[in-house]
Amino acid sequence: MQSEHETYCVLIVEDDLAQLENLRVALSQQPGLVLEAYQTKTDVQQRFKQQLPDLFIADIILGSDKDAGFDLARELQSYQRPIPIIFLSERQSEFDIMLGHDLGAVDYLPKPVSLAVLQRKVTNILRLTKGSNHAVSQAPSDQTTSQLSGLVIDKPNLKAYWQNQLLALTITELEMLEQFAQQPAGSVISYQQLQAATQGVVERNTINTHICRIRQAFKQHSPNFDQIHNVYGRGYSWRDAN
């Protein structure tokens, strides 16, 4: 993930002390991470004024404040520095997930959180962040895969391209999109495949929300994009444009 001398500051905020300790212990097993753990919105705000993290992991509800994590994300945006955010929350409505993405989330994980999945996400996000800091172009690497015309999945760099344009996707959305790219156009990608691709992070009732986000990422480059279709009761299918 990093060279011998590289370190990354990861700031975690979670009001439940037992859960906070579980998160801290799980991530402390990964080399190169400097972890800072907090329980309150005020403490995090004070820390932001002193030093910004390389990655921010936040519960959304802190104490009686139902939107504390969202508020802290907005505050991070005011510093005008791109800092990846992972939200952890029991709130899984389409509105909350969309809002989390709008506030800069690179992932939105449901509680109870799988610590193994979180470890993987943190590793990937920091690798991606490191890569973007040293990138000289938006060209894909040589190790790309896709059976779909116009779509390229650059898995080593955790990126996807549509007609040579970089798609704005979270890592979870990239994992879902990769399921389409691995099959010929017209194949049905089941709900179970999409869930498995994200290590179970995406719940059955939130798959549509993530698919909507994926479609919107394509529409940023192709306003008439309409290749991802729902297959009633089964999943989704990619259909080439006529």
Side-chain angles (χ1 to χ4, degrees):
M1 181 175 69
Q2 66 281 317
S3 69
E4 181 181 355
H5 302 292
E6 282 184 311
T7 60
Y8 297 93
C9 177
V10 178
L11 192 157
I12 309 169
V13 60
E14 163 63 67
D15 62 342
D16 184 289
L17 185 58
Q19 293 187 48
L20 182 62
E21 181 63 11
N22 287 339
L23 295 172
R24 189 193 65 77
V25 170
L27 294 180
S28 67
Q29 300 173 20
Q30 296 183 264
L33 302 187
V34 177
L35 303 175
E36 297 188 14
Y38 299 92
Q39 287 184 269
T40 71
K41 176 179 171 179
T42 301
D43 286 343
V44 174
Q45 289 172 321
Q46 291 300 316
R47 185 56 177 150
F48 282 169
K49 294 176 182 178
Q50 299 167 349
Q51 180 182 345
L52 296 178
D54 296 303
L55 172 64
F56 182 43
I57 302 175
D59 189 4
I60 293 173
I61 303 174
L62 300 175
S64 61
D65 192 336
K66 303 302 182 183
D67 292 316
F70 288 151
D71 291 340
L72 288 169
R74 291 188 183 94
E75 188 161 336
L76 269 185
Q77 288 183 327
S78 71
Y79 288 94
Q80 298 185 339
R81 173 181 157 188
I83 295 171
I85 300 169
I86 299 177
F87 284 120
L88 314 176
S89 184
E90 296 172 350
R91 291 166 55 171
Q92 292 294 303
S93 72
E94 181 170 329
F95 174 82
D96 287 325
I97 294 174
M98 290 292 198
L99 178 58
H101 288 309
D102 290 342
L103 292 173
V106 295
D107 244 317
Y108 191 113
L109 306 184
K111 285 187 168 184
V113 175
S114 164
L115 297 178
V117 168
L118 180 62
Q119 287 173 325
R120 174 183 169 180
K121 300 290 186 180
V122 168
T123 298
N124 285 343
I125 288 167
L126 292 177
R127 177 160 61 88
L128 179 60
T129 301
K130 175 191 173 185
S132 65
N133 289 339
H134 299 285
V136 294
S137 72
Q138 289 189 337
S141 73
D142 293 333
Q143 302 178 47
T144 61
T145 59
S146 178
Q147 295 194 45
L148 303 176
S149 177
L151 177 64
V152 172
I153 303 294
D154 183 3
K155 192 170 183 178
N157 291 317
L158 303 173
K159 294 179 181 179
Y161 297 82
W162 172 243
Q163 297 178 350
N164 297 318
Q165 298 295 313
L166 181 65
L167 293 170
L169 300 171
T170 68
I171 291 177
T172 291
E173 291 157 3
L174 178 64
E175 291 168 335
M176 294 176 72
L177 182 60
E178 186 180 6
Q179 298 305 298
F180 292 90
Q182 290 174 349
Q183 303 293 330
S187 302
V188 176
I189 310 302
S190 69
Y191 297 116
Q192 291 79 10
Q193 285 175 278
L194 294 171
Q195 285 184 279
T198 67
Q199 303 82 49
V201 165
V202 175
E203 298 289 340
R204 171 66 178 82
N205 61 347
T206 62
I207 286 178
N208 184 62
T209 298
H210 290 280
I211 292 294
C212 286
R213 277 271 310 168
I214 292 170
R215 287 177 176 138
Q216 288 303 315
F218 280 96
K219 287 182 178 180
Q220 290 178 5
H221 304 299
S222 300
N224 296 323
F225 177 85
D226 189 31
Q227 267 85 306
I228 300 177
H229 293 255
N230 179 257
V231 180
Y232 182 75
R234 298 176 63 193
Y236 295 86
S237 177
W238 179 286
R239 303 178 190 173
D240 284 335
N242 295 325

